[in-house]
PDB file of all heavy atoms in Angstrom:
ATOM      1  N   CYS A 154     -15.020  23.982   4.779  1.00 96.00           N
ATOM      2  CA  CYS A 154     -15.958  24.990   4.361  1.00 96.00           C
ATOM      3  C   CYS A 154     -15.186  26.255   3.840  1.00 96.00           C
ATOM      4  O   CYS A 154     -14.402  26.891   4.643  1.00 96.00           O
ATOM      5  CB  CYS A 154     -16.820  25.482   5.574  1.00 96.00           C
ATOM      6  SG  CYS A 154     -17.708  26.958   5.399  1.00 96.00           S
ATOM      7  N   SER A 156     -16.214  29.313   3.336  1.00 94.00           N
ATOM      8  CA  SER A 156     -16.508  30.556   4.100  1.00 94.00           C
ATOM      9  C   SER A 156     -15.653  30.529   5.304  1.00 94.00           C
ATOM     10  O   SER A 156     -15.251  31.652   5.891  1.00 94.00           O
ATOM     11  CB  SER A 156     -17.961  30.579   4.426  1.00 94.00           C
ATOM     12  OG  SER A 156     -18.717  30.659   3.283  1.00 94.00           O
ATOM     13  N   PHE A 164     -16.676  34.295  10.406  1.00 94.00           N
ATOM     14  CA  PHE A 164     -17.784  33.341  10.157  1.00 94.00           C
ATOM     15  C   PHE A 164     -17.662  32.249  11.307  1.00 94.00           C
ATOM     16  O   PHE A 164     -16.543  31.771  11.620  1.00 94.00           O
ATOM     17  CB  PHE A 164     -17.627  32.740   8.801  1.00 94.00           C
ATOM     18  CG  PHE A 164     -18.643  31.552   8.474  1.00 94.00           C
ATOM     19  CD1 PHE A 164     -20.010  31.744   8.694  1.00 94.00           C
ATOM     20  CD2 PHE A 164     -18.199  30.375   8.011  1.00 94.00           C
ATOM     21  CE1 PHE A 164     -20.869  30.801   8.381  1.00 94.00           C
ATOM     22  CE2 PHE A 164     -19.123  29.307   7.863  1.00 94.00           C
ATOM     23  CZ  PHE A 164     -20.506  29.505   7.912  1.00 94.00           C
ATOM     24  N   PRO A 167     -19.563  25.814  10.514  1.00 97.00           N
ATOM     25  CA  PRO A 167     -20.695  24.898  10.671  1.00 97.00           C
ATOM     26  C   PRO A 167     -20.821  24.148  11.937  1.00 97.00           C
ATOM     27  O   PRO A 167     -21.929  24.030  12.468  1.00 97.00           O
ATOM     28  CB  PRO A 167     -20.565  23.942   9.509  1.00 97.00           C
ATOM     29  CG  PRO A 167     -19.153  24.146   8.985  1.00 97.00           C
ATOM     30  CD  PRO A 167     -18.740  25.529   9.346  1.00 97.00           C
ATOM     31  N   CYS A 201     -22.597  31.745   5.281  1.00 92.00           N
ATOM     32  CA  CYS A 201     -22.846  30.346   4.860  1.00 92.00           C
ATOM     33  C   CYS A 201     -23.570  30.420   3.467  1.00 92.00           C
ATOM     34  O   CYS A 201     -24.586  31.138   3.438  1.00 92.00           O
ATOM     35  CB  CYS A 201     -23.644  29.540   5.787  1.00 92.00           C
ATOM     36  SG  CYS A 201     -24.236  27.916   5.177  1.00 92.00           S
ATOM     37  N   ARG A 202     -22.996  29.910   2.492  1.00 86.00           N
ATOM     38  CA  ARG A 202     -23.589  29.875   1.157  1.00 86.00           C
ATOM     39  C   ARG A 202     -24.226  28.546   0.797  1.00 86.00           C
ATOM     40  O   ARG A 202     -24.635  28.334  -0.363  1.00 86.00           O
ATOM     41  CB  ARG A 202     -22.553  30.219   0.099  1.00 86.00           C
ATOM     42  CG  ARG A 202     -21.739  31.485   0.400  1.00 86.00           C
ATOM     43  CD  ARG A 202     -22.660  32.754   0.219  1.00 86.00           C
ATOM     44  NE  ARG A 202     -21.891  33.949   0.260  1.00 86.00           N
ATOM     45  CZ  ARG A 202     -22.165  34.954   1.072  1.00 86.00           C
ATOM     46  NH1 ARG A 202     -23.185  34.902   1.877  1.00 86.00           N
ATOM     47  NH2 ARG A 202     -21.381  36.071   1.056  1.00 86.00           N
ATOM     48  N   HIS A 203     -24.401  27.628   1.807  1.00 85.00           N
ATOM     49  CA  HIS A 203     -25.047  26.348   1.567  1.00 85.00           C
ATOM     50  C   HIS A 203     -24.426  25.552   0.369  1.00 85.00           C
ATOM     51  O   HIS A 203     -25.094  25.017  -0.360  1.00 85.00           O
ATOM     52  CB  HIS A 203     -26.502  26.594   1.423  1.00 85.00           C
ATOM     53  CG  HIS A 203     -27.133  27.160   2.642  1.00 85.00           C
ATOM     54  ND1 HIS A 203     -27.274  26.495   3.843  1.00 85.00           N
ATOM     55  CD2 HIS A 203     -27.524  28.449   2.969  1.00 85.00           C
ATOM     56  CE1 HIS A 203     -27.642  27.258   4.748  1.00 85.00           C
ATOM     57  NE2 HIS A 203     -27.788  28.361   4.244  1.00 85.00           N
ATOM     58  N   ILE A 204     -23.100  25.551   0.441  1.00 85.00           N
ATOM     59  CA  ILE A 204     -22.358  24.722  -0.619  1.00 85.00           C
ATOM     60  C   ILE A 204     -22.401  23.248  -0.151  1.00 85.00           C
ATOM     61  O   ILE A 204     -22.207  22.331  -0.938  1.00 85.00           O
ATOM     62  CB  ILE A 204     -20.908  25.279  -0.713  1.00 85.00           C
ATOM     63  CG1 ILE A 204     -20.942  26.725  -1.102  1.00 85.00           C
ATOM     64  CG2 ILE A 204     -20.144  24.421  -1.724  1.00 85.00           C
ATOM     65  CD1 ILE A 204     -19.506  27.398  -0.736  1.00 85.00           C
ATOM     66  N   GLN A 205     -22.642  23.020   1.162  1.00 91.00           N
ATOM     67  CA  GLN A 205     -22.833  21.660   1.716  1.00 91.00           C
ATOM     68  C   GLN A 205     -21.537  20.860   1.839  1.00 91.00           C
ATOM     69  O   GLN A 205     -21.654  19.668   2.110  1.00 91.00           O
ATOM     70  CB  GLN A 205     -23.888  20.909   0.884  1.00 91.00           C
ATOM     71  CG  GLN A 205     -25.130  21.619   0.674  1.00 91.00           C
ATOM     72  CD  GLN A 205     -26.327  20.797   1.253  1.00 91.00           C
ATOM     73  OE1 GLN A 205     -26.236  19.792   1.826  1.00 91.00           O
ATOM     74  NE2 GLN A 205     -27.479  21.300   1.036  1.00 91.00           N
ATOM     75  N   ASN A 206     -20.344  21.440   1.753  1.00 94.00           N
ATOM     76  CA  ASN A 206     -19.168  20.676   1.969  1.00 94.00           C
ATOM     77  C   ASN A 206     -19.164  20.148   3.379  1.00 94.00           C
ATOM     78  O   ASN A 206     -18.687  19.043   3.639  1.00 94.00           O
ATOM     79  CB  ASN A 206     -17.910  21.658   1.842  1.00 94.00           C
ATOM     80  CG  ASN A 206     -17.503  21.890   0.421  1.00 94.00           C
ATOM     81  OD1 ASN A 206     -18.219  21.657  -0.492  1.00 94.00           O
ATOM     82  ND2 ASN A 206     -16.361  22.483   0.319  1.00 94.00           N
ATOM     83  N   CYS A 207     -19.705  20.923   4.253  1.00 96.00           N
ATOM     84  CA  CYS A 207     -19.691  20.575   5.671  1.00 96.00           C
ATOM     85  C   CYS A 207     -20.516  19.222   5.918  1.00 96.00           C
ATOM     86  O   CYS A 207     -20.052  18.291   6.522  1.00 96.00           O
ATOM     87  CB  CYS A 207     -20.309  21.602   6.530  1.00 96.00           C
ATOM     88  SG  CYS A 207     -21.936  22.183   6.006  1.00 96.00           S
ATOM     89  N   SER A 218     -25.316  22.026   7.406  1.00 96.00           N
ATOM     90  CA  SER A 218     -25.897  22.936   6.341  1.00 96.00           C
ATOM     91  C   SER A 218     -27.422  23.187   6.611  1.00 96.00           C
ATOM     92  O   SER A 218     -27.861  24.329   6.577  1.00 96.00           O
ATOM     93  CB  SER A 218     -25.560  22.463   4.991  1.00 96.00           C
ATOM     94  OG  SER A 218     -26.152  23.290   4.019  1.00 96.00           O
ATOM     95  N   ILE A 221     -27.982  25.282   9.678  1.00 95.00           N
ATOM     96  CA  ILE A 221     -27.721  26.669   9.511  1.00 95.00           C
ATOM     97  C   ILE A 221     -28.951  27.348   8.769  1.00 95.00           C
ATOM     98  O   ILE A 221     -29.402  28.444   9.054  1.00 95.00           O
ATOM     99  CB  ILE A 221     -26.393  26.870   8.712  1.00 95.00           C
ATOM    100  CG1 ILE A 221     -25.179  26.391   9.528  1.00 95.00           C
ATOM    101  CG2 ILE A 221     -26.153  28.405   8.441  1.00 95.00           C
ATOM    102  CD1 ILE A 221     -23.946  26.283   8.732  1.00 95.00           C
TER     103      ILE A 221
HETATM  104  S1  LIG B 301     -23.020  24.827   3.799  1.00 95.39           S
HETATM  105 FE1  LIG B 301     -22.341  26.765   4.786  1.00 95.39          FE
HETATM  106  S2  LIG B 301     -21.223  26.011   6.466  1.00 95.39           S
HETATM  107 FE2  LIG B 301     -21.423  24.268   5.155  1.00 95.39          FE
HETATM  108  S3  LIG B 301     -19.613  24.230   3.907  1.00 95.39           S
HETATM  109 FE3  LIG B 301     -21.010  25.480   2.824  1.00 95.39          FE
HETATM  110  S4  LIG B 301     -20.856  27.633   3.337  1.00 95.39           S
HETATM  111 FE4  LIG B 301     -19.765  26.282   4.937  1.00 95.39          FE
END
Side-chain angles (χ1 to χ4, degrees):
C154 169
S156 296
F164 177 51
C201 169
R202 305 290 189 232
H203 298 289
I204 304 160
Q205 307 236 7
N206 282 12
C207 53
S218 175
I221 299 168

